[in-house]
PDB file of all heavy atoms in Angstrom:
ATOM      1  N   ARG A  17      -4.132  -6.750  -8.836  1.00  0.00           N
ATOM      2  CA  ARG A  17      -3.936  -7.868  -9.761  1.00  0.00           C
ATOM      3  C   ARG A  17      -4.331  -7.460 -11.176  1.00  0.00           C
ATOM      4  O   ARG A  17      -3.642  -7.799 -12.150  1.00  0.00           O
ATOM      5  CB  ARG A  17      -4.750  -9.068  -9.300  1.00  0.00           C
ATOM      6  CG  ARG A  17      -4.528 -10.315 -10.139  1.00  0.00           C
ATOM      7  CD  ARG A  17      -5.153 -11.530  -9.501  1.00  0.00           C
ATOM      8  NE  ARG A  17      -4.924 -12.726 -10.296  1.00  0.00           N
ATOM      9  CZ  ARG A  17      -5.315 -13.951  -9.933  1.00  0.00           C
ATOM     10  NH1 ARG A  17      -5.944 -14.132  -8.781  1.00  0.00           N
ATOM     11  NH2 ARG A  17      -5.073 -14.980 -10.710  1.00  0.00           N
ATOM     12  N   LEU A  18      -5.422  -6.727 -11.313  1.00  0.00           N
ATOM     13  CA  LEU A  18      -5.843  -6.235 -12.620  1.00  0.00           C
ATOM     14  C   LEU A  18      -4.783  -5.300 -13.197  1.00  0.00           C
ATOM     15  O   LEU A  18      -4.461  -5.352 -14.391  1.00  0.00           O
ATOM     16  CB  LEU A  18      -7.179  -5.506 -12.491  1.00  0.00           C
ATOM     17  CG  LEU A  18      -7.827  -4.990 -13.779  1.00  0.00           C
ATOM     18  CD1 LEU A  18      -8.191  -6.151 -14.703  1.00  0.00           C
ATOM     19  CD2 LEU A  18      -9.064  -4.169 -13.452  1.00  0.00           C
ATOM     20  N   ALA A  19      -4.203  -4.467 -12.343  1.00  0.00           N
ATOM     21  CA  ALA A  19      -3.186  -3.511 -12.789  1.00  0.00           C
ATOM     22  C   ALA A  19      -1.907  -4.203 -13.245  1.00  0.00           C
ATOM     23  O   ALA A  19      -1.116  -3.609 -13.985  1.00  0.00           O
ATOM     24  CB  ALA A  19      -2.871  -2.528 -11.666  1.00  0.00           C
ATOM     25  N   GLY A  20      -1.716  -5.440 -12.816  1.00  0.00           N
ATOM     26  CA  GLY A  20      -0.549  -6.186 -13.266  1.00  0.00           C
ATOM     27  C   GLY A  20      -0.541  -6.424 -14.764  1.00  0.00           C
ATOM     28  O   GLY A  20       0.496  -6.757 -15.341  1.00  0.00           O
ATOM     29  N   GLN A  21      -1.695  -6.228 -15.425  1.00  0.00           N
ATOM     30  CA  GLN A  21      -1.804  -6.402 -16.864  1.00  0.00           C
ATOM     31  C   GLN A  21      -1.605  -5.085 -17.621  1.00  0.00           C
ATOM     32  O   GLN A  21      -1.685  -5.046 -18.847  1.00  0.00           O
ATOM     33  CB  GLN A  21      -3.182  -6.980 -17.200  1.00  0.00           C
ATOM     34  CG  GLN A  21      -3.508  -8.279 -16.487  1.00  0.00           C
ATOM     35  CD  GLN A  21      -4.969  -8.675 -16.649  1.00  0.00           C
ATOM     36  OE1 GLN A  21      -5.607  -8.352 -17.654  1.00  0.00           O
ATOM     37  NE2 GLN A  21      -5.512  -9.373 -15.667  1.00  0.00           N
ATOM     38  N   SER A  22      -1.347  -4.003 -16.891  1.00  0.00           N
ATOM     39  CA  SER A  22      -1.237  -2.684 -17.509  1.00  0.00           C
ATOM     40  C   SER A  22      -0.027  -2.587 -18.433  1.00  0.00           C
ATOM     41  O   SER A  22       1.049  -3.093 -18.127  1.00  0.00           O
ATOM     42  CB  SER A  22      -1.133  -1.615 -16.408  1.00  0.00           C
ATOM     43  OG  SER A  22      -0.822  -0.351 -16.940  1.00  0.00           O
ATOM     44  N   ARG A  23      -0.200  -1.885 -19.554  1.00  0.00           N
ATOM     45  CA  ARG A  23       0.914  -1.605 -20.458  1.00  0.00           C
ATOM     46  C   ARG A  23       1.807  -0.494 -19.887  1.00  0.00           C
ATOM     47  O   ARG A  23       2.970  -0.398 -20.237  1.00  0.00           O
ATOM     48  CB  ARG A  23       0.395  -1.180 -21.832  1.00  0.00           C
ATOM     49  CG  ARG A  23      -0.415  -2.245 -22.560  1.00  0.00           C
ATOM     50  CD  ARG A  23      -0.676  -1.822 -24.009  1.00  0.00           C
ATOM     51  NE  ARG A  23      -1.384  -0.552 -24.091  1.00  0.00           N
ATOM     52  CZ  ARG A  23      -2.702  -0.418 -24.070  1.00  0.00           C
ATOM     53  NH1 ARG A  23      -3.464  -1.486 -23.929  1.00  0.00           N
ATOM     54  NH2 ARG A  23      -3.262   0.771 -24.176  1.00  0.00           N
ATOM     55  N   VAL A  24       1.217   0.346 -19.049  1.00  0.00           N
ATOM     56  CA  VAL A  24       1.932   1.447 -18.411  1.00  0.00           C
ATOM     57  C   VAL A  24       2.373   0.989 -17.021  1.00  0.00           C
ATOM     58  O   VAL A  24       1.592   0.374 -16.298  1.00  0.00           O
ATOM     59  CB  VAL A  24       1.015   2.686 -18.296  1.00  0.00           C
ATOM     60  CG1 VAL A  24       1.734   3.832 -17.600  1.00  0.00           C
ATOM     61  CG2 VAL A  24       0.518   3.116 -19.668  1.00  0.00           C
ATOM     62  N   PRO A  25       3.611   1.264 -16.609  1.00  0.00           N
ATOM     63  CA  PRO A  25       4.049   0.862 -15.265  1.00  0.00           C
ATOM     64  C   PRO A  25       3.119   1.414 -14.179  1.00  0.00           C
ATOM     65  O   PRO A  25       2.704   2.576 -14.238  1.00  0.00           O
ATOM     66  CB  PRO A  25       5.450   1.468 -15.154  1.00  0.00           C
ATOM     67  CG  PRO A  25       5.914   1.603 -16.571  1.00  0.00           C
ATOM     68  CD  PRO A  25       4.692   1.920 -17.375  1.00  0.00           C
ATOM     69  N   VAL A  26       2.806   0.574 -13.206  1.00  0.00           N
ATOM     70  CA  VAL A  26       1.877   0.949 -12.134  1.00  0.00           C
ATOM     71  C   VAL A  26       2.587   0.893 -10.785  1.00  0.00           C
ATOM     72  O   VAL A  26       3.256  -0.088 -10.460  1.00  0.00           O
ATOM     73  CB  VAL A  26       0.650   0.017 -12.118  1.00  0.00           C
ATOM     74  CG1 VAL A  26      -0.247   0.326 -10.918  1.00  0.00           C
ATOM     75  CG2 VAL A  26      -0.141   0.144 -13.416  1.00  0.00           C
ATOM     76  N   TYR A  27       2.404   1.963  -9.998  1.00  0.00           N
ATOM     77  CA  TYR A  27       2.884   2.023  -8.623  1.00  0.00           C
ATOM     78  C   TYR A  27       1.669   2.052  -7.705  1.00  0.00           C
ATOM     79  O   TYR A  27       0.779   2.898  -7.878  1.00  0.00           O
ATOM     80  CB  TYR A  27       3.726   3.287  -8.386  1.00  0.00           C
ATOM     81  CG  TYR A  27       5.150   3.208  -8.857  1.00  0.00           C
ATOM     82  CD1 TYR A  27       5.480   2.705 -10.119  1.00  0.00           C
ATOM     83  CD2 TYR A  27       6.190   3.650  -8.056  1.00  0.00           C
ATOM     84  CE1 TYR A  27       6.786   2.642 -10.547  1.00  0.00           C
ATOM     85  CE2 TYR A  27       7.507   3.601  -8.474  1.00  0.00           C
ATOM     86  CZ  TYR A  27       7.805   3.098  -9.720  1.00  0.00           C
ATOM     87  OH  TYR A  27       9.114   3.034 -10.150  1.00  0.00           O
ATOM     88  N   ALA A  28       1.631   1.181  -6.723  1.00  0.00           N
ATOM     89  CA  ALA A  28       0.505   1.122  -5.801  1.00  0.00           C
ATOM     90  C   ALA A  28       0.768   1.977  -4.567  1.00  0.00           C
ATOM     91  O   ALA A  28       1.853   1.913  -3.973  1.00  0.00           O
ATOM     92  CB  ALA A  28       0.245  -0.319  -5.374  1.00  0.00           C
ATOM     93  N   MET A  29      -0.218   2.760  -4.172  1.00  0.00           N
ATOM     94  CA  MET A  29      -0.148   3.483  -2.910  1.00  0.00           C
ATOM     95  C   MET A  29      -0.180   2.472  -1.762  1.00  0.00           C
ATOM     96  O   MET A  29      -1.018   1.551  -1.764  1.00  0.00           O
ATOM     97  CB  MET A  29      -1.329   4.447  -2.792  1.00  0.00           C
ATOM     98  CG  MET A  29      -1.489   5.092  -1.433  1.00  0.00           C
ATOM     99  SD  MET A  29      -0.113   6.168  -0.993  1.00  0.00           S
ATOM    100  CE  MET A  29      -0.458   7.593  -2.026  1.00  0.00           C
ATOM    101  N   ILE A  30       0.731   2.639  -0.802  1.00  0.00           N
ATOM    102  CA  ILE A  30       0.725   1.810   0.392  1.00  0.00           C
ATOM    103  C   ILE A  30       0.438   2.727   1.578  1.00  0.00           C
ATOM    104  O   ILE A  30       1.324   3.367   2.142  1.00  0.00           O
ATOM    105  CB  ILE A  30       2.077   1.075   0.580  1.00  0.00           C
ATOM    106  CG1 ILE A  30       2.432   0.261  -0.672  1.00  0.00           C
ATOM    107  CG2 ILE A  30       2.029   0.189   1.814  1.00  0.00           C
ATOM    108  CD1 ILE A  30       1.477  -0.869  -1.000  1.00  0.00           C
ATOM    109  N   ARG A  31      -0.824   2.821   1.921  1.00  0.00           N
ATOM    110  CA  ARG A  31      -1.282   3.682   3.020  1.00  0.00           C
ATOM    111  C   ARG A  31      -2.504   3.012   3.636  1.00  0.00           C
ATOM    112  O   ARG A  31      -3.549   2.916   2.993  1.00  0.00           O
ATOM    113  CB  ARG A  31      -1.615   5.072   2.489  1.00  0.00           C
ATOM    114  CG  ARG A  31      -2.027   6.079   3.571  1.00  0.00           C
ATOM    115  CD  ARG A  31      -2.366   7.422   2.953  1.00  0.00           C
ATOM    116  NE  ARG A  31      -2.917   8.343   3.938  1.00  0.00           N
ATOM    117  CZ  ARG A  31      -3.852   9.250   3.664  1.00  0.00           C
ATOM    118  NH1 ARG A  31      -4.356   9.358   2.431  1.00  0.00           N
ATOM    119  NH2 ARG A  31      -4.294  10.039   4.615  1.00  0.00           N
ATOM    120  N   PRO A  32      -2.415   2.546   4.867  1.00  0.00           N
ATOM    121  CA  PRO A  32      -3.448   1.661   5.405  1.00  0.00           C
ATOM    122  C   PRO A  32      -4.727   2.336   5.862  1.00  0.00           C
ATOM    123  O   PRO A  32      -5.740   1.668   6.072  1.00  0.00           O
ATOM    124  CB  PRO A  32      -2.742   0.992   6.592  1.00  0.00           C
ATOM    125  CG  PRO A  32      -1.733   2.002   7.041  1.00  0.00           C
ATOM    126  CD  PRO A  32      -1.262   2.668   5.773  1.00  0.00           C
ATOM    127  N   ARG A  33      -4.685   3.653   6.033  1.00  0.00           N
ATOM    128  CA  ARG A  33      -5.862   4.365   6.561  1.00  0.00           C
ATOM    129  C   ARG A  33      -5.741   5.848   6.241  1.00  0.00           C
ATOM    130  O   ARG A  33      -4.678   6.331   5.847  1.00  0.00           O
ATOM    131  CB  ARG A  33      -5.967   4.172   8.076  1.00  0.00           C
ATOM    132  CG  ARG A  33      -4.690   4.556   8.801  1.00  0.00           C
ATOM    133  CD  ARG A  33      -4.875   4.916  10.241  1.00  0.00           C
ATOM    134  NE  ARG A  33      -3.598   5.125  10.905  1.00  0.00           N
ATOM    135  CZ  ARG A  33      -2.837   6.217  10.778  1.00  0.00           C
ATOM    136  NH1 ARG A  33      -3.241   7.211   9.984  1.00  0.00           N
ATOM    137  NH2 ARG A  33      -1.689   6.331  11.427  1.00  0.00           N
ATOM    138  N   GLU A  34      -6.852   6.548   6.453  1.00  0.00           N
ATOM    139  CA  GLU A  34      -6.823   7.996   6.284  1.00  0.00           C
ATOM    140  C   GLU A  34      -6.121   8.652   7.472  1.00  0.00           C
ATOM    141  O   GLU A  34      -5.819   8.011   8.480  1.00  0.00           O
ATOM    142  CB  GLU A  34      -8.250   8.532   6.163  1.00  0.00           C
ATOM    143  CG  GLU A  34      -9.096   8.309   7.401  1.00  0.00           C
ATOM    144  CD  GLU A  34     -10.518   8.782   7.208  1.00  0.00           C
ATOM    145  OE1 GLU A  34     -10.715  10.016   7.090  1.00  0.00           O
ATOM    146  OE2 GLU A  34     -11.433   7.943   7.195  1.00  0.00           O
ATOM    147  N   GLY A  35      -5.877   9.958   7.354  1.00  0.00           N
ATOM    148  CA  GLY A  35      -5.275  10.697   8.457  1.00  0.00           C
ATOM    149  C   GLY A  35      -3.773  10.815   8.318  1.00  0.00           C
ATOM    150  O   GLY A  35      -3.226  10.746   7.218  1.00  0.00           O
ATOM    151  N   GLY A  36      -3.101  10.998   9.462  1.00  0.00           N
ATOM    152  CA  GLY A  36      -1.670  11.245   9.474  1.00  0.00           C
ATOM    153  C   GLY A  36      -0.842  10.020   9.168  1.00  0.00           C
ATOM    154  O   GLY A  36      -1.366   8.932   8.891  1.00  0.00           O
ATOM    155  N   PHE A  37       0.475  10.184   9.297  1.00  0.00           N
ATOM    156  CA  PHE A  37       1.404   9.170   8.802  1.00  0.00           C
ATOM    157  C   PHE A  37       2.290   8.592   9.894  1.00  0.00           C
ATOM    158  O   PHE A  37       3.344   8.038   9.618  1.00  0.00           O
ATOM    159  CB  PHE A  37       2.252   9.778   7.687  1.00  0.00           C
ATOM    160  CG  PHE A  37       1.413  10.328   6.563  1.00  0.00           C
ATOM    161  CD1 PHE A  37       1.200  11.696   6.443  1.00  0.00           C
ATOM    162  CD2 PHE A  37       0.818   9.485   5.654  1.00  0.00           C
ATOM    163  CE1 PHE A  37       0.409  12.202   5.421  1.00  0.00           C
ATOM    164  CE2 PHE A  37       0.032   9.976   4.624  1.00  0.00           C
ATOM    165  CZ  PHE A  37      -0.177  11.337   4.510  1.00  0.00           C
ATOM    166  N   VAL A  38       1.849   8.722  11.155  1.00  0.00           N
ATOM    167  CA  VAL A  38       2.525   8.061  12.269  1.00  0.00           C
ATOM    168  C   VAL A  38       1.822   6.716  12.459  1.00  0.00           C
ATOM    169  O   VAL A  38       0.645   6.669  12.824  1.00  0.00           O
ATOM    170  CB  VAL A  38       2.458   8.905  13.559  1.00  0.00           C
ATOM    171  CG1 VAL A  38       3.157   8.171  14.711  1.00  0.00           C
ATOM    172  CG2 VAL A  38       3.087  10.270  13.334  1.00  0.00           C
ATOM    173  N   PHE A  39       2.547   5.631  12.192  1.00  0.00           N
ATOM    174  CA  PHE A  39       1.915   4.316  12.128  1.00  0.00           C
ATOM    175  C   PHE A  39       2.302   3.440  13.311  1.00  0.00           C
ATOM    176  O   PHE A  39       3.429   3.501  13.820  1.00  0.00           O
ATOM    177  CB  PHE A  39       2.300   3.618  10.819  1.00  0.00           C
ATOM    178  CG  PHE A  39       1.818   4.336   9.586  1.00  0.00           C
ATOM    179  CD1 PHE A  39       2.711   4.904   8.691  1.00  0.00           C
ATOM    180  CD2 PHE A  39       0.465   4.464   9.335  1.00  0.00           C
ATOM    181  CE1 PHE A  39       2.269   5.571   7.566  1.00  0.00           C
ATOM    182  CE2 PHE A  39       0.004   5.132   8.204  1.00  0.00           C
ATOM    183  CZ  PHE A  39       0.906   5.689   7.319  1.00  0.00           C
ATOM    184  N   THR A  40       1.355   2.614  13.731  1.00  0.00           N
ATOM    185  CA  THR A  40       1.601   1.630  14.776  1.00  0.00           C
ATOM    186  C   THR A  40       2.330   0.424  14.192  1.00  0.00           C
ATOM    187  O   THR A  40       2.415   0.263  12.962  1.00  0.00           O
ATOM    188  CB  THR A  40       0.282   1.153  15.387  1.00  0.00           C
ATOM    189  OG1 THR A  40      -0.458   0.427  14.378  1.00  0.00           O
ATOM    190  CG2 THR A  40      -0.558   2.322  15.896  1.00  0.00           C
ATOM    191  N   ALA A  41       2.819  -0.434  15.061  1.00  0.00           N
ATOM    192  CA  ALA A  41       3.503  -1.647  14.608  1.00  0.00           C
ATOM    193  C   ALA A  41       2.561  -2.518  13.780  1.00  0.00           C
ATOM    194  O   ALA A  41       2.973  -3.113  12.773  1.00  0.00           O
ATOM    195  CB  ALA A  41       4.030  -2.428  15.804  1.00  0.00           C
ATOM    196  N   GLU A  42       1.295  -2.564  14.176  1.00  0.00           N
ATOM    197  CA  GLU A  42       0.322  -3.367  13.426  1.00  0.00           C
ATOM    198  C   GLU A  42       0.090  -2.788  12.031  1.00  0.00           C
ATOM    199  O   GLU A  42      -0.050  -3.529  11.059  1.00  0.00           O
ATOM    200  CB  GLU A  42      -1.006  -3.445  14.196  1.00  0.00           C
ATOM    201  CG  GLU A  42      -0.943  -4.211  15.500  1.00  0.00           C
ATOM    202  CD  GLU A  42      -0.412  -3.370  16.667  1.00  0.00           C
ATOM    203  OE1 GLU A  42      -0.155  -2.154  16.465  1.00  0.00           O
ATOM    204  OE2 GLU A  42      -0.251  -3.931  17.750  1.00  0.00           O
ATOM    205  N   GLU A  43       0.048  -1.473  11.931  1.00  0.00           N
ATOM    206  CA  GLU A  43      -0.149  -0.841  10.626  1.00  0.00           C
ATOM    207  C   GLU A  43       1.075  -1.045   9.735  1.00  0.00           C
ATOM    208  O   GLU A  43       0.928  -1.233   8.516  1.00  0.00           O
ATOM    209  CB  GLU A  43      -0.443   0.648  10.812  1.00  0.00           C
ATOM    210  CG  GLU A  43      -1.832   0.897  11.392  1.00  0.00           C
ATOM    211  CD  GLU A  43      -2.059   2.331  11.820  1.00  0.00           C
ATOM    212  OE1 GLU A  43      -1.071   3.032  12.141  1.00  0.00           O
ATOM    213  OE2 GLU A  43      -3.234   2.764  11.849  1.00  0.00           O
ATOM    214  N   VAL A  44       2.259  -1.042  10.331  1.00  0.00           N
ATOM    215  CA  VAL A  44       3.455  -1.323   9.550  1.00  0.00           C
ATOM    216  C   VAL A  44       3.405  -2.752   9.018  1.00  0.00           C
ATOM    217  O   VAL A  44       3.739  -3.008   7.843  1.00  0.00           O
ATOM    218  CB  VAL A  44       4.728  -1.091  10.393  1.00  0.00           C
ATOM    219  CG1 VAL A  44       5.965  -1.577   9.637  1.00  0.00           C
ATOM    220  CG2 VAL A  44       4.878   0.387  10.742  1.00  0.00           C
ATOM    221  N   ASP A  45       2.966  -3.694   9.843  1.00  0.00           N
ATOM    222  CA  ASP A  45       2.817  -5.077   9.377  1.00  0.00           C
ATOM    223  C   ASP A  45       1.825  -5.156   8.220  1.00  0.00           C
ATOM    224  O   ASP A  45       2.035  -5.913   7.258  1.00  0.00           O
ATOM    225  CB  ASP A  45       2.349  -5.978  10.524  1.00  0.00           C
ATOM    226  CG  ASP A  45       3.436  -6.266  11.544  1.00  0.00           C
ATOM    227  OD1 ASP A  45       4.626  -6.063  11.218  1.00  0.00           O
ATOM    228  OD2 ASP A  45       3.099  -6.692  12.665  1.00  0.00           O
ATOM    229  N   GLN A  46       0.754  -4.374   8.310  1.00  0.00           N
ATOM    230  CA  GLN A  46      -0.231  -4.342   7.220  1.00  0.00           C
ATOM    231  C   GLN A  46       0.403  -3.808   5.942  1.00  0.00           C
ATOM    232  O   GLN A  46       0.185  -4.357   4.842  1.00  0.00           O
ATOM    233  CB  GLN A  46      -1.419  -3.478   7.624  1.00  0.00           C
ATOM    234  CG  GLN A  46      -2.509  -3.376   6.554  1.00  0.00           C
ATOM    235  CD  GLN A  46      -3.666  -2.499   6.998  1.00  0.00           C
ATOM    236  OE1 GLN A  46      -3.843  -2.236   8.185  1.00  0.00           O
ATOM    237  NE2 GLN A  46      -4.453  -2.040   6.043  1.00  0.00           N
ATOM    238  N   MET A  47       1.200  -2.768   6.061  1.00  0.00           N
ATOM    239  CA  MET A  47       1.851  -2.196   4.879  1.00  0.00           C
ATOM    240  C   MET A  47       2.854  -3.179   4.276  1.00  0.00           C
ATOM    241  O   MET A  47       2.971  -3.280   3.044  1.00  0.00           O
ATOM    242  CB  MET A  47       2.528  -0.874   5.239  1.00  0.00           C
ATOM    243  CG  MET A  47       1.541   0.246   5.516  1.00  0.00           C
ATOM    244  SD  MET A  47       2.321   1.897   5.632  1.00  0.00           S
ATOM    245  CE  MET A  47       3.036   1.775   7.265  1.00  0.00           C
ATOM    246  N   LEU A  48       3.545  -3.914   5.109  1.00  0.00           N
ATOM    247  CA  LEU A  48       4.467  -4.932   4.594  1.00  0.00           C
ATOM    248  C   LEU A  48       3.706  -5.991   3.798  1.00  0.00           C
ATOM    249  O   LEU A  48       4.169  -6.426   2.729  1.00  0.00           O
ATOM    250  CB  LEU A  48       5.232  -5.578   5.750  1.00  0.00           C
ATOM    251  CG  LEU A  48       6.277  -4.690   6.436  1.00  0.00           C
ATOM    252  CD1 LEU A  48       6.764  -5.358   7.716  1.00  0.00           C
ATOM    253  CD2 LEU A  48       7.442  -4.391   5.512  1.00  0.00           C
ATOM    254  N   ALA A  49       2.536  -6.387   4.304  1.00  0.00           N
ATOM    255  CA  ALA A  49       1.715  -7.363   3.578  1.00  0.00           C
ATOM    256  C   ALA A  49       1.204  -6.778   2.266  1.00  0.00           C
ATOM    257  O   ALA A  49       1.120  -7.483   1.243  1.00  0.00           O
ATOM    258  CB  ALA A  49       0.551  -7.822   4.457  1.00  0.00           C
ATOM    259  N   ASP A  50       0.862  -5.486   2.270  1.00  0.00           N
ATOM    260  CA  ASP A  50       0.386  -4.843   1.043  1.00  0.00           C
ATOM    261  C   ASP A  50       1.510  -4.727   0.009  1.00  0.00           C
ATOM    262  O   ASP A  50       1.269  -4.843  -1.198  1.00  0.00           O
ATOM    263  CB  ASP A  50      -0.186  -3.462   1.359  1.00  0.00           C
ATOM    264  CG  ASP A  50      -1.528  -3.535   2.080  1.00  0.00           C
ATOM    265  OD1 ASP A  50      -2.235  -4.542   1.909  1.00  0.00           O
ATOM    266  OD2 ASP A  50      -1.858  -2.581   2.813  1.00  0.00           O
ATOM    267  N   ILE A  51       2.726  -4.488   0.465  1.00  0.00           N
ATOM    268  CA  ILE A  51       3.862  -4.480  -0.454  1.00  0.00           C
ATOM    269  C   ILE A  51       4.030  -5.859  -1.090  1.00  0.00           C
ATOM    270  O   ILE A  51       4.267  -5.979  -2.309  1.00  0.00           O
ATOM    271  CB  ILE A  51       5.152  -4.052   0.280  1.00  0.00           C
ATOM    272  CG1 ILE A  51       5.076  -2.562   0.632  1.00  0.00           C
ATOM    273  CG2 ILE A  51       6.391  -4.327  -0.578  1.00  0.00           C
ATOM    274  CD1 ILE A  51       6.167  -2.097   1.563  1.00  0.00           C
ATOM    275  N   ASP A  52       3.886  -6.906  -0.296  1.00  0.00           N
ATOM    276  CA  ASP A  52       3.956  -8.270  -0.833  1.00  0.00           C
ATOM    277  C   ASP A  52       2.877  -8.487  -1.892  1.00  0.00           C
ATOM    278  O   ASP A  52       3.131  -9.117  -2.927  1.00  0.00           O
ATOM    279  CB  ASP A  52       3.786  -9.295   0.288  1.00  0.00           C
ATOM    280  CG  ASP A  52       4.997  -9.385   1.205  1.00  0.00           C
ATOM    281  OD1 ASP A  52       6.075  -8.901   0.810  1.00  0.00           O
ATOM    282  OD2 ASP A  52       4.861  -9.946   2.317  1.00  0.00           O
TER     283      ASP A  52
END
């Protein structure tokens, strides 16, 4: 929300946890919520 005030375009990392990138259905749902 703070970054929404940035003069420079901001891209947010969407990664729910450390480690590899094979995600469960629950983690995908979390990422969808983070995109929102």
Side-chain angles (χ1 to χ4, degrees):
R17 184 170 181 177
L18 184 64
Q21 304 169 29
S22 171
R23 297 190 302 272
V24 178
V26 175
Y27 280 46
M29 171 64 75
I30 305 296
R31 183 181 173 214
R33 54 157 174 77
E34 63 183 292
F37 303 103
V38 179
F39 297 114
T40 66
E42 293 82 3
E43 288 170 334
V44 172
D45 287 342
Q46 180 180 342
M47 289 191 283
L48 289 169
D50 288 334
I51 290 170
D52 288 343

